[in-house]
């Protein structure tokens, strides 16, 4: 039983709230959190919070009929209500931080949206530089050769490329859209590279402006998000859980290989590989096809050896499932025997579940940072769910008592 | 138009009310800027600007579509923040129907003052100026530290009454004590009588007993309010007025939110017509309920945008509706 503490749950993950409260030995704060018929959120907190240490648990997940933005607004309203209700301190507990992944610009499979310079028209299509070559700087009296690039040519070329690249080629992004046809129909003004809003900073500022004094989250996709906040952010790690799973549930884990599906996650994966003394391999998203015949995996390359080995794919989040399923396919092709995929956040939005079902992944392991009931129903024994509520309960207890929580960052 | 010069009006439309944005743009003789807002499959909102807003005067129009208030609000905040990071000179949020305007006070213990939260959020996102229409409580302006222009639908209503009815046949009725000021202002301008209905409200979205103060016998009773949500109040007030001998009962409201079973309530009531502005998208509600008539508010909003951009006074619009 912890005193002077109030745990308030949002609508996004009631099971987690219940089990955190169970571990802390106190009932969840009773509240009304619904919508008015106009669509505005209605929030009434029925227990006193005056002078209390309030923890609001709301994960950044929409699904099963609820909307992510509703949950986020609810969270801000609850924080604000507690603040105006004279709470001593309000801590937002966000197992999955919403808007933490910055969206990519759509790029086509051949590469990033870099506009190629016009192909020089020398012999054999290659520009031949000689000592007589005119430097590519426009100036008065300098003849404008066809190979010379000046401002207007680049602009024209960009327009041409923007018009042709935009819609015709297959695109691949880390985010799936709910309605792809609109995206492909959208054209930026000629010559202007479209500007995609990066909402991470905004979300951090909105939480602070609602009155949040402290944030607890887990496995931020970009640890830099911590820097967006002016208030303390405790970024817990799901690694110890995943590590324990490897040791307890994977037979002959010492002979397995830890794989990072992209370069960004290499640090996370090597940390686990090092501490367990396992081998490590990396999948590199190669922009250029290595062989023209090798179309299927033209944009993926494996660094390391996995032939006849068990592979453990490690990543922090699976949203569209694109990265891990493509990685699994490559690993199988390279001769891997069994593929485990261990993730902290299993969002599985859009077609992800079907993608995973059809993929070469043999076992998927996620934490319950977002509700997994629905996913478990669909994936059955392919999915194992690890419980993170003890970690969060312990973090809440320690933060409340002013104890160090760094032990939670690297316990064995 | 010198489209290449900076500091032009850039009109950005949110997803909630594109028709209004289109009308405002047409009125201003410009085009709505190329932007796209979507949801990713994980339901996060994405907002993309397809043209330069550097050093431009950006106006973002976002109303509240019934049921999708939070989606619309997040989209607006993200759009504001995107324009801010894209170096817009000034960002004005044009919010015809201010969301959460009714949650403006701590009327119970630990009740959230969500209107203030929304105000703070808009400023945090980077809004430099707010334009809205008929705030539920004008004190909400005090929640902001940036300028707020609260436009009125009253001039449009006055014109509508003068064009369609004889002022001496009418009585202006306020359906609650809180709206008395709004109703008396219209009554004074038309030089007509005024009445008030007192009501008890046990719970939100539920209406209690009603008492009429004033005389409406053989008159056209015009109920005036700032918003019609489930229409429970209006319909009940209408029958109270009928019982007290009113010839006909009309309702004039600024924001026709019309949520829940508003349409059924309206169709079954003695109310002859509900006249509202198009601050909130009405969608197919006009087809579903022949009693609803819409007044176009876009000239007022467009004129406010033009005047704000040119640094002219907006107060002219408080008493005059542009034709």
């Amino acid at each position: 039983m912890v005193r002077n503490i109030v745990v308030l749950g949002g609508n996004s993950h009631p099971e987690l709230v219940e089990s955190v409260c169970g571990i802390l030995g106190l009932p969840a704060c009773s509240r009304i959190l619904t919508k008015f018929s106009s669509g505005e959120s209605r929030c009434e907190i029925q227990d006193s919070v005056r002078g209390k240490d309030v923890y609001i648990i709301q994960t950044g997940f929409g699904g099963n009929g609820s909307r992510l933005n509703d949950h986020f607004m609810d969270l801000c309203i609850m924080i604000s209500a507690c603040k105006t209700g004279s709470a001593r301190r309000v801590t937002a507990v966000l197992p999955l931080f919403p808007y933490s992944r910055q969206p990519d610009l759509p790029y086509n499979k051949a590469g990033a949206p870099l506009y190629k310079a016009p192909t020089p028209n020398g012999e054999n299509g290659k520009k031949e530089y000689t000592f007589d070559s005119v430097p590519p700087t426009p100036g008065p009296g300098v003849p404008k050769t066809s190979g010379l690039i000046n401002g207007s040519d680049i602009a024209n070329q960009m327009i041409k490329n923007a018009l042709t690249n935009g819609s015709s080629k297959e695109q691949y992004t880390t985010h799936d859209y709910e309605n792809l046809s609109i995206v492909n129909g959208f054209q930026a003004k000629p010559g202007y590279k479209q500007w995609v809003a990066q909402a991470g900073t905004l979300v951090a500022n909105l939480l602070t402006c609602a009155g949040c004094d402290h944030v607890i989250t887990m496995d931020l996709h970009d640890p830099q998000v911590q820097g967006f906040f002016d208030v303390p952010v405790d970024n817990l790690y799901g690694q110890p859980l995943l590590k324990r799973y490897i040791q307890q549930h994977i037979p002959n884990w010492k002979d397995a290989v830890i794989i990072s599906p992209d370069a960004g996650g290499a640090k996370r994966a090597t940390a686990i590989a090092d501490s367990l003394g396992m081998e490590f391999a990396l999948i590199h998203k190669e922009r250029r096809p290595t062989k023209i015949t090798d179309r299927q995996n033209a944009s993926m390359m494996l660094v390391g050896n996995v032939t006849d080995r068990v592979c453990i794919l490690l990543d922090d989040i699976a949203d569209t499932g694109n990265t891990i399923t493509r990685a699994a396919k490559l690993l199988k092709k390279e001769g891997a025997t069994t593929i485990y995929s261990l993730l902290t956040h299993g969002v599985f939005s859009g077609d992800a579940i079907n993608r995973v079902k059809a993929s070469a992944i043999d076992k998927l392991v996620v934490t319950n940072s977002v509700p997994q009931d629905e996913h478990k129903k669909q994936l059955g024994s392919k999915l194992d769910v690890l419980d993170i509520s003890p970690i969060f309960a312990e973090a809440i207890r320690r933060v409340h008592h002013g104890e160090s929580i760094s032990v939670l960052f690297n316990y064995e | 138009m010198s489209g290449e010069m900076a500091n032009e009006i850039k009109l950005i439309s949110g997803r909630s009310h594109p028709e209004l944005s289109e009308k405002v743009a047409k009125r201003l003789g410009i085009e709505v800027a190329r932007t796209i807002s979507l949801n990713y499959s994980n339901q996060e909102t994405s907002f993309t600007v397809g043209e330069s807003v550097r050093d431009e005067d950006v106006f973002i129009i976002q109303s509240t579509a019934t049921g999708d208030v939070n989606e619309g609000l997040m989209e607006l905040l993200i759009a504001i923040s995107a324009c801010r990071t894209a170096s817009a000179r000034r960002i004005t949020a044009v919010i015809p129907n201010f969301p959460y305007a009714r949650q403006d006070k701590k009327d119970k213990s630990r009740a959230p003052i969500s209107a203030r939260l929304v105000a703070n959020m808009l400023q945090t996102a980077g809004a430099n100026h707010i334009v809205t229409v008929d705030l539920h409580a004008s004190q909400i302006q005090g929640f902001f530290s940036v300028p707020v222009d609260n436009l009125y639908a009253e001039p449009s209503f006055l014109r509508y009454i003068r064009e369609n009815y004889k002022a001496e046949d009418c009585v202006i009725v306020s359906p609650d004590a809180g709206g008395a000021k709004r109703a008396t202002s219209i009554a004074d301008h038309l030089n007509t009588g005024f009445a008030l209905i007192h009501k008890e409200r046990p719970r939100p979205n539920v209406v209690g007993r009603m008492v009429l103060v004033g005389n409406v016998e053989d008159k056209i009773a015009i109920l005036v309010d700032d918003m019609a949500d489930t229409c429970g109040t209006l319909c009940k007030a209408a029958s109270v007025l009928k019982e007290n001998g009113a010839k006909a009962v009309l309702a004039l409201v600024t924001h026709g939110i019309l949520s829940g079973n508003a349409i059924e309530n309206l169709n079954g009531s003695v109310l002859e017509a509900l006249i509202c502005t198009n601050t909130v998208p009405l969608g197919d509600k006009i087809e579903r309920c022949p009693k609803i008539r819409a007044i176009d508010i876009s000239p007022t909003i467009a004129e406010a945008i033009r005047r704000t951009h040119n640094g002219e006074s907006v107060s002219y619009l408080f008493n005059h509706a542009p034709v």
Side-chain angles (χ1 to χ4, degrees):
Chain A
M1 175 79 190
V2 189
R3 282 173 193 282
N4 230 11
I5 184 171
V6 172
V7 176
L8 184 58
N11 287 331
S12 60
H13 201 344
E15 299 86 11
L16 184 69
V17 176
E18 207 176 294
S19 96
V20 167
C21 284
I23 294 168
L24 290 172
L26 47 89
C29 178
S30 66
R31 88 292 192 264
I32 296 174
L33 188 61
T34 52
K35 266 184 166 191
F36 287 112
S37 58
S38 62
E40 291 175 1
S41 298
R42 174 183 173 199
C43 166
E44 276 174 39
I45 293 162
Q46 288 158 317
D47 295 343
S48 171
V49 295
R50 186 173 297 271
K52 298 274 176 66
D53 200 7
V54 181
Y55 293 83
I56 306 178
I57 302 178
Q58 180 85 296
T59 194
F61 175 76
N64 313 339
S66 62
R67 301 290 299 176
L68 179 128
N69 286 337
D70 282 335
H71 291 322
F72 181 69
M73 277 306 294
D74 286 351
L75 173 64
C76 291
I77 291 172
M78 283 191 285
I79 293 173
S80 164
C82 290
K83 268 284 159 182
T84 48
S86 311
R88 185 163 59 83
R89 183 172 63 169
V90 181
T91 305
V93 181
L94 294 149
L96 170 58
F97 195 86
Y99 291 96
S100 56
R101 240 155 35 108
Q102 310 277 301
D104 286 357
L105 270 178
Y107 58 85
N108 51 47
K109 270 188 178 163
L114 282 172
Y115 298 108
K116 270 187 230 151
T119 324
N121 61 345
E123 272 77 33
N124 307 327
K126 279 185 185 166
K127 176 92 179 174
E128 286 177 24
Y129 290 95
T130 66
F131 289 110
D132 300 329
S133 290
V134 186
T137 313
V142 178
K144 190 180 152 192
T145 66
S146 50
L148 184 75
I149 310 155
N150 66 15
S152 68
D153 271 350
I154 290 177
N156 285 337
Q157 199 62 37
M158 278 174 69
I159 294 163
K160 239 168 105 189
N161 280 328
L163 289 175
T164 50
N165 282 355
S167 52
S168 59
K169 284 184 189 163
E170 193 189 345
Q171 292 186 337
Y172 167 56
T173 69
T174 51
H175 287 61
D176 271 1
Y177 290 96
E178 280 191 336
N179 195 342
L180 198 68
S181 60
I182 312 176
V183 187
N184 288 339
F186 178 69
Q187 290 286 319
K189 265 207 173 161
Y192 182 73
K193 194 179 142 204
Q194 62 191 34
W195 180 269
V196 183
Q198 310 279 305
T201 323
L202 175 69
V203 166
N205 288 339
L206 291 178
L207 285 174
T208 325
C209 114
C212 180
D213 299 304
H214 194 132
V215 176
I216 301 176
T217 181
M218 183 177 250
D219 277 351
L220 279 173
H221 184 70
D222 297 313
Q224 285 83 352
V225 170
Q226 261 180 302
F228 295 169
F229 280 92
D230 294 330
V231 296
V233 177
D234 285 319
N235 184 18
L236 305 175
Y237 295 109
Q239 270 179 16
L241 274 178
L242 302 181
K243 224 151 79 180
R244 203 184 303 152
Y245 182 91
I246 294 175
Q247 288 169 320
Q248 292 177 352
H249 293 92
I250 298 179
N252 300 328
W253 57 271
K254 291 220 158 159
D255 298 327
V257 189
I258 300 261
I259 316 272
S260 171
D262 56 12
K267 227 172 161 179
R268 248 187 306 265
T270 45
I272 288 195
D274 284 353
S275 70
L276 290 176
M278 295 167 71
E279 271 185 55
F280 170 75
L282 174 97
I283 289 171
H284 174 53
K285 278 183 192 161
E286 175 70 42
R287 303 278 191 218
R288 290 161 311 222
T290 41
K291 274 178 265 166
I292 293 157
T293 48
D294 206 11
R295 277 226 152 143
Q296 215 57 36
N297 282 308
S299 54
M300 295 275 229
M301 211 170 80
L302 180 73
V303 184
N305 186 17
V306 297
T307 318
D308 297 328
R309 306 279 289 270
V310 173
C311 288
I312 303 171
L313 264 170
L314 266 180
D315 207 353
D316 60 333
I317 186 166
D319 183 353
T320 63
N322 242 325
T323 311
I324 54 162
T325 49
R326 285 157 67 92
K329 190 175 183 181
L330 178 67
L331 291 174
K332 267 277 149 85
K333 213 176 124 231
E334 298 283 340
T337 52
T338 317
I339 298 169
Y340 290 84
S341 182
L342 271 62
L343 311 151
T344 309
H345 308 295
V347 178
F348 302 121
S349 65
D351 305 329
I353 290 284
N354 293 334
R355 232 173 247 162
V356 169
K357 259 187 190 164
S359 76
I361 297 170
D362 297 298
K363 190 86 181 177
L364 199 62
V365 183
V366 295
T367 73
N368 60 348
S369 63
V370 300
Q372 296 292 350
D373 298 354
E374 207 48 47
H375 304 152
K376 181 80 188 162
K377 248 183 242 164
Q378 292 184 49
L379 286 171
S381 60
K382 207 174 193 182
L383 183 76
D384 271 357
V385 181
L386 307 174
D387 189 15
I388 54 162
S389 52
I391 298 182
F392 276 95
E394 185 61 15
I396 289 174
R397 201 185 63 74
R398 281 172 183 263
V399 169
H400 175 65
H401 290 300
E403 294 169 21
S404 165
I405 68 161
S406 56
V407 66
L408 287 179
F409 294 156
N410 49 13
Y411 73 89
E412 290 297 318
Chain B
M1 293 266 296
S2 51
E4 298 304 309
M5 275 219 328
N7 201 20
E8 296 280 322
I9 297 178
K10 282 272 176 201
L11 196 67
I12 291 176
S13 171
R15 265 181 295 179
S16 66
H17 203 348
E19 299 87 15
L20 183 69
S21 314
E22 210 50 64
K23 279 181 180 158
V24 170
K26 208 170 168 196
R27 183 100 189 164
L28 290 168
I30 57 174
E31 273 182 28
V32 177
R34 285 195 210 185
T35 59
I36 185 165
S37 35
L38 293 156
N39 284 89
Y40 297 116
S41 56
N42 64 2
Q43 299 189 355
E44 290 177 2
T45 304
S46 122
F47 185 84
T48 308
V49 192
E51 57 188 90
S52 173
V53 296
R54 187 175 295 272
D55 228 3
E56 308 277 14
D57 199 5
V58 176
F59 292 83
I60 305 173
I61 299 185
Q62 179 78 300
S63 182
T64 52
T66 307
D68 273 341
V69 175
N70 292 335
E71 286 286 327
L73 186 57
M74 273 311 281
E75 187 186 315
L76 173 64
L77 294 170
I78 290 171
I80 292 173
S81 145
C83 292
R84 160 81 38 243
T85 49
S87 310
R89 178 178 292 188
R90 181 174 64 173
I91 299 161
T92 306
V94 182
I95 315 166
N97 177 25
F98 196 83
Y100 290 98
R102 279 172 288 182
Q103 296 181 31
D104 57 354
K105 57 195 166 297
K106 195 176 158 186
D107 48 4
K108 267 176 270 159
S109 301
R110 301 175 292 280
I113 309 175
S114 307
R116 189 196 53 189
L117 176 67
V118 172
N120 287 341
M121 284 177 143
L122 286 168
Q123 292 174 95
T124 304
N128 304 111
H129 194 139
I130 310 289
V131 173
T132 181
V133 181
D134 274 345
L135 274 176
H136 183 65
S138 50
Q139 287 85 341
I140 290 174
Q141 291 179 75
F143 294 161
F144 285 92
S145 52
V146 297
V148 179
D149 283 323
N150 185 18
L151 304 172
Y152 299 109
E154 190 187 285
S156 310
F157 285 154
L158 288 174
R159 183 189 297 139
Y160 183 86
I161 297 174
R162 287 197 183 109
E163 282 174 1
N164 293 286
Y165 301 95
K166 272 194 205 133
E168 56 267 28
D169 292 345
C170 301
V171 180
I172 305 296
V173 185
S174 172
D176 56 17
K181 220 169 155 188
R182 198 175 287 118
T184 45
S185 166
I186 290 191
D188 286 351
H189 277 103
L190 291 170
N191 211 9
T192 61
F194 168 74
L196 185 135
I197 289 172
H198 174 69
K199 73 173 171 188
E200 292 145 9
R201 185 191 283 272
R203 283 194 307 282
N205 291 352
V206 176
V207 189
R209 205 167 54 89
M210 290 186 151
V211 188
L212 175 72
V213 184
N215 188 12
V216 295
E217 235 165 283
D218 293 328
K219 297 271 193 181
I220 300 170
I222 301 179
L223 282 160
V224 174
D225 206 350
D226 64 333
M227 57 176 76
D229 194 346
T230 53
C231 293
T233 313
L234 280 179
C235 295
K236 209 152 182 193
S239 45
V240 170
L241 291 170
K242 262 280 179 217
E243 283 160 23
N244 283 279
K247 203 159 59 179
V249 186
L250 308 171
L252 273 178
V253 293
T254 311
H255 308 297
I257 299 169
L258 307 177
S259 70
N261 39 10
I263 301 294
E264 291 76 40
N265 283 348
L266 280 177
N267 282 331
S269 79
V270 294
L271 209 62
E272 196 176 279
L274 176 80
I275 299 126
C276 59
T277 67
N278 57 350
T279 50
V280 180
L282 291 167
D284 62 343
K285 284 168 190 157
I286 293 183
E287 280 99 76
R288 280 163 58 206
C289 177
K291 290 180 181 177
I292 301 173
R293 292 177 211 158
I295 299 178
D296 188 12
I297 195 79
S298 65
T300 306
I301 292 175
E303 187 60 17
I305 289 177
R306 197 190 63 75
R307 283 172 182 258
T308 306
H309 174 68
N310 293 332
E312 296 168 26
S313 165
V314 173
S315 55
Y316 173 84
L317 294 173
F318 296 163
N319 295 312
H320 300 84
V323 186

